[in-house]
Amino acid sequence: MQSMHYLKNYINGVNCDALSGKWIDNYNPSDGSVYAQIPDSSKQDVDKAYSAAQAAFPAWSTTTIDTRSKIMLRIADLILENLEGLAKAEAKDNGKPLSLATAVDIPRASANFRFFGNGITQFASKAHQSVGLNTMNYTLKQPIGVVGCISPWNLPLYLFTWKIAPALAAGNCVVAKPSEVTPMTAYLLGDICTQAGLPAGVLNIVHGTGPTAGQAIVEHPNIKAISFTGGTQTGAHIARVAAPLFKKLSLELGGKNPNLIFADCDYQKMLSVTLKSSFANQGQICLCGSRIYVEETIFEQFKKDFVAKVASLKVGNPFDADTKIGALVSKSHMEKVQGYIEIAKQENGTILYGGKPVEVTGSEQGYYLQPTVIEIQENQCRINQEEIFGPVVTLMPFKTEAEALKLANDVKYGLSATIWTSNIDRTMRLSKDIQAGIVWVNTWLNRDLRTPFGGVKQSGVGREGGFEALNFFTEAKNVCISYQGNI
Ligand code: NDP
């Protein structure tokens, strides 16, 4: 019999229960068991977290860049020192293969702190002289104050730290809420921050549901900026709540990303990367290329080769070394994805592979689904227009580059796009005209943290990454000084 874990909020450097004393069940998706309880925090807990953050702000915002940077780098080191434990916690909480959490999620969480710990040392403001007016202008980049960070369940520590690290580096204090579905690694991060010497109150982590704890962060009149990653509908709701409070908002939302495959591409490289861009993390990455369009001349060949590769992916317990597809994050999410497979049948989609739940021996109650490939007839069908966020891709042929572009853009989202071609002119044309915040050519999920990250259309507002994130978490103030004489 496994012992139950009781997670705590991390407020003012102290682990504490929700003031209400209430708890929420936390499930292990790989076997369907409840293995932890998390605090069901309310507005009162958010208020308490805010007070701690507000009290910590004057000292933290005036800490030297060198000190701040050293603490951030120490957090990065400690995340790596705890890699194994964090990766196991992430795999258990989320259902993702342990190999993926070990190779990608946790190292990236460390990299986020390292990147912004270093980045803040280069984040200098500019000055310019207005000759003739006899004025000198310079820009102060001032931390905003107390900011809110709200993140989703698919890449729990990866995305949580992607927000927190730049916010802290820029001198803000933070009230953060991870998804209630995957709270474990955010909980573990609290102790790591204390060990690294982060002063009490600078980072506060409040667990609980979106509509209660999350909403309280968004509604708090003195939490002046919200960095949110999650679904488009939730993002729209947050924008409505935050607008009358004049909060700064960064919204990283859903995607339904096109993967355009031309006959002149490096076929073998394209095949293996497309397998990843379709099904990595069970297809639960906002950047997955879930709409695959293939040039007609290679469509039948691609179908055959791709389906053969998909069939070879092992669906299994996240802790098995050869598992490529782990468990979906929750029962309700599994039901949602299965619902889309039923819709595909009604829409006359042809299921080329998958579509069925998988019973994993020893983990029979887990949420496992076959990777699923569906050939569609129409671009405008629900499974090709709505974000499924699971191991399901659609396939469709195209004849010309112009048609491919039209199909790619014919969707309400605009997060990322992938193009496979060896034609440089085509690359330049399509990259310019595709409606997306990120375009990958002959690669996928290749991330340099200095580059801007974010979407257009219903995929969001604002950019993260590099100085974009540090700009978001600061207010630019211009100072204009009049002087006499010639200098
Ligand atoms: P949700 O929008 O349901 O939730 C995201 C976060 O918001 C969670 O912490 C959630 O809490 C919280 N939340 C929910 N309701 C509110 C509210 N009223 N006020 C404040 N916070 C709230 O998204 P999911 O967690 O289901 O994540 C999947 C979605 O995230 C997909 O659409 C995916 O595309 C998107 N995503 C976008 C990325 C990007 O960079 N563009 C990257 C990764 C994912 P709780 O979980 O407790 O309900």
Side-chain angles (χ1 to χ4, degrees):
M1 171 99 180
Q2 284 183 349
S3 61
M4 184 68 74
H5 299 274
Y6 288 89
L7 274 58
K8 307 276 181 183
N9 286 336
Y10 176 73
I11 298 179
N12 209 18
V14 175
N15 287 325
C16 51
D17 295 338
L19 291 166
S20 66
K22 290 188 188 157
W23 300 92
I24 303 170
D25 289 341
N26 184 32
Y27 287 82
N28 173 350
S30 69
D31 63 11
S33 65
V34 174
Y35 83 107
Q37 300 279 303
I38 68 165
D40 186 2
S41 305
S42 63
K43 180 179 175 307
Q44 284 67 35
D45 299 288
V46 170
D47 287 346
K48 183 175 154 191
Y50 168 76
S51 298
Q54 187 202 25
F57 180 68
W60 181 246
S61 57
T62 50
T63 305
T64 64
I65 294 292
D66 185 49
T67 303
R68 227 187 278 161
S69 170
K70 280 189 178 128
I71 294 173
M72 308 277 301
L73 298 179
R74 183 73 191 123
I75 297 173
D77 288 344
L78 284 170
I79 291 175
L80 283 189
E81 282 170 30
N82 289 281
L83 174 67
E84 195 183 333
L86 287 167
K88 283 184 178 158
E90 201 77 300
K92 188 165 180 176
D93 214 16
N94 172 276
K96 68 178 66 209
L98 176 61
S99 55
L100 186 69
T102 306
V104 177
D105 290 74
I106 308 306
R108 173 58 191 272
S110 169
N112 289 339
F113 273 100
R114 194 171 309 286
F115 178 80
F116 287 107
N118 287 320
I120 195 63
T121 66
Q122 307 297 316
F123 187 58
S125 59
K126 294 195 174 122
H128 68 269
Q129 191 180 15
S130 302
V131 179
L133 297 177
N134 283 11
T135 55
M136 178 68 82
N137 290 277
Y138 66 91
T139 308
L140 290 173
K141 294 282 183 128
Q142 296 180 308
I144 296 172
V146 179
V147 300
C149 298
I150 302 176
S151 57
W153 48 257
N154 63 323
L155 304 170
L157 196 63
Y158 177 134
L159 289 175
F160 195 60
T161 53
W162 181 232
K163 300 182 171 306
I164 288 168
L168 297 177
N172 300 283
C173 292
V174 174
V175 177
K177 192 197 92 63
S179 169
E180 88 198 56
V181 186
T182 53
M184 190 55 91
T185 47
Y187 164 65
L188 298 172
L189 182 68
D191 280 348
I192 287 176
C193 288
T194 301
Q195 276 180 55
L198 191 72
V202 171
L203 170 64
N204 302 278
I205 302 170
V206 180
H207 296 278
T209 69
T212 302
Q215 178 97 5
I217 295 173
V218 179
E219 282 177 340
H220 196 291
N222 297 323
I223 295 181
K224 294 176 189 154
I226 303 289
S227 175
F228 169 81
T229 298
T232 293
Q233 248 186 319
T234 317
H237 171 77
I238 286 175
R240 279 193 296 273
V241 174
L245 299 164
F246 301 101
K247 295 195 185 209
K248 239 180 151 179
L249 280 186
S250 168
L251 302 173
E252 300 294 339
L253 309 177
K256 189 77 180 175
N257 310 304
N259 184 2
L260 304 183
I261 299 170
F262 289 87
D264 62 8
C265 71
D266 175 340
Y267 189 78
Q268 291 308 327
K269 181 179 176 195
M270 175 278 295
L271 256 190
S272 66
V273 177
T274 294
L275 200 65
K276 288 191 191 132
S277 67
S278 302
F279 300 116
N281 205 40
Q282 297 72 248
Q284 301 168 145
I285 302 180
C286 52
L287 302 162
C288 277
S290 51
R291 294 185 294 139
I292 304 177
Y293 299 103
V294 186
E295 192 165 355
E296 196 181 48
T297 50
I298 58 164
F299 186 66
E300 289 305 321
Q301 185 66 43
F302 175 82
K303 249 164 66 173
K304 193 164 133 275
D305 295 340
F306 186 61
V307 164
K309 276 199 176 283
V310 174
S312 72
L313 292 172
K314 187 191 160 198
V315 180
N317 189 292
F319 286 83
D320 292 346
D322 56 348
T323 289
K324 293 285 183 263
I325 309 261
L328 269 66
V329 76
S330 67
K331 189 164 187 281
S332 61
H333 188 58
M334 168 100 172
E335 286 165 358
K336 177 189 147 187
V337 177
Q338 284 179 288
Y340 273 107
I341 292 168
E342 289 311 308
I343 291 169
K345 292 176 191 161
Q346 291 155 22
E347 290 178 330
N348 297 321
T350 307
I351 299 184
L352 301 175
Y353 185 80
K356 297 195 181 72
V358 178
E359 194 171 290
V360 171
T361 309
S363 306
E364 286 77 6
Q365 303 305 311
Y367 317 130
Y368 299 96
L369 188 65
Q370 287 178 310
T372 302
V373 184
I374 305 173
E375 184 175 352
I376 54 166
Q377 307 301 322
E378 292 290 330
N379 206 46
Q380 280 294 330
C381 60
R382 283 186 64 193
I383 55 158
N384 198 46
Q385 291 289 322
E386 297 176 17
E387 188 185 38
I388 300 174
F389 214 55
V392 180
V393 292
T394 54
L395 266 190
M396 206 178 159
F398 66 83
K399 285 195 177 68
T400 63
E401 182 186 312
E403 187 192 358
L405 178 66
K406 195 160 171 254
L407 292 168
N409 286 342
D410 182 23
V411 71
K412 67 183 180 182
Y413 295 105
L415 188 55
S416 69
T418 303
I419 306 165
W420 290 95
T421 181
S422 57
N423 181 329
I424 188 75
D425 292 334
R426 188 197 328 269
T427 297
M428 304 290 277
R429 282 192 298 271
L430 286 176
S431 304
K432 177 171 73 65
D433 292 336
I434 277 185
Q435 295 162 354
I438 303 148
V439 178
W440 280 294
V441 181
N442 300 329
T443 184
W444 176 74
L445 204 56
N446 212 320
R447 294 277 300 125
D448 177 328
L449 302 190
R450 291 170 298 184
T451 59
F453 179 91
V456 298
K457 294 157 84 176
Q458 293 196 20
S459 290
V461 179
R463 292 292 178 273
E464 298 184 321
F467 289 162
E468 303 273 354
L470 294 174
N471 277 324
F472 174 76
F473 283 115
T474 49
E475 290 287 6
K477 180 192 284 175
N478 190 64
V479 180
C480 175
I481 303 173
S482 170
Y483 59 83
Q484 306 228 321
N486 292 320
I487 62 164

